[in-house]
């Protein structure tokens, strides 16, 4: 027995929402569910959505629980960041300050040097890939590949704010 659709929506309402949304996959899902409201089989709705009948069932369950917003692609939560905002701020400050050769043993920051500094300072291990892609969601975008290239080209002691314009 198929999971029934919620009764507070109808085909016309779903089509109207699908027209207004900027999210293509959500619109496709809404149109497939609108076909079910119109009396189409789940198999026909699966053809409209370009998916299997099981995925149509999953969409119905999400739609019933959360409404049209339940059909929006969400980014999976993933692994939580190892660095807190305080760690990120300290890392940004050390980059802006630049290395002191007598203390840090380098004349310019490389990724591996920053990774070593994070370990020595906080006892946190992070990978070269994480640091090079700025793997801290919103934190410091200053550790993106772009900034690391600028640091290599310009050298230490250059303010991040000055580089940004």
């Amino acid at each position: 027995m198929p999971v029934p659709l919620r009764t507070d929506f109808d085909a016309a309402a779903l089509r109207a929402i699908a027209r207004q949304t900027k999210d293509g996959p959500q619109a496709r899902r809404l149109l497939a569910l609108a076909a079910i409201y119109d009396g189409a089989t789940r198999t026909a709705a699966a053809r409209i959505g370009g998916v299997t009948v099981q995925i149509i069932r999953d969409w119905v369950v999400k739609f019933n629980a959360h409404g049209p917003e339940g059909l929006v692609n969400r980014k999976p939560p993933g692994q939580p960041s190892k660095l807190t905002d305080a760690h990120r701020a300290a890392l940004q400050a050390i980059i802006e300050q630049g290395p002191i050769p007598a203390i840090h043993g380098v004349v310019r920051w490389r990724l591996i040097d920053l990774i070593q500094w994070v370990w020595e300072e906080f006892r946190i291990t992070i990978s070269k890939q994480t640091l090079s892609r700025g793997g801290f969601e919103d934190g410091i975008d200053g550790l993106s590949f772009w900034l690391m290239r600028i640091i290599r080209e310009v050298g230490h002691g250059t303010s991040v704010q000055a580089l940004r314009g």
Side-chain angles (χ1 to χ4, degrees):
M1 175 116 190
V3 177
L5 283 166
R6 57 194 284 175
T7 57
D8 55 339
F9 285 92
D10 62 3
L14 290 187
R15 285 191 179 91
I17 295 168
R19 270 192 300 274
Q20 294 172 352
T21 186
K22 303 282 188 225
D23 184 14
Q26 180 193 24
R28 179 174 52 97
R29 294 172 186 131
L30 288 167
L31 292 174
L33 295 184
I36 295 172
Y37 273 119
D38 280 340
T41 64
R42 304 285 167 121
T43 305
R47 265 189 243 115
I48 291 169
V51 294
T52 64
V53 178
Q54 177 61 46
I55 292 174
I56 291 292
R57 183 194 176 281
D58 296 342
W59 291 353
V60 169
V61 170
K62 287 180 184 178
F63 178 74
N64 286 343
H66 305 287
E69 290 304 312
L71 299 176
V72 175
N73 283 345
R74 290 188 189 91
K75 184 178 177 193
Q79 182 101 8
S81 177
K82 291 182 178 181
L83 299 179
T84 65
D85 290 337
H87 296 139
R88 292 180 187 130
L91 196 48
Q92 184 169 1
I94 198 78
I95 289 172
E96 287 182 7
Q97 172 189 345
I100 302 168
I103 296 174
H104 300 112
V106 295
V107 294
R108 67 176 183 215
W109 289 125
R110 298 174 300 166
L111 288 174
I112 198 73
D113 301 323
L114 292 171
I115 291 168
Q116 182 66 33
W117 181 86
V118 168
W119 170 252
E120 290 170 357
E121 196 71 20
F122 306 115
R123 293 293 187 236
I124 297 174
T125 58
I126 54 176
S127 71
K128 201 170 168 181
Q129 291 79 12
T130 299
L131 196 59
S132 69
R133 71 174 172 256
F136 330 112
E137 307 80 50
D138 304 324
I140 3 179
D141 57 5
L143 288 180
S144 65
F145 177 76
W146 170 82
L147 182 57
M148 297 314 297
R149 191 181 77 227
I150 297 294
I151 288 173
R152 281 193 294 273
E153 291 172 4
V154 175
H156 70 84
T158 304
S159 168
V160 172
Q161 297 304 324
L163 292 174
R164 290 184 181 155

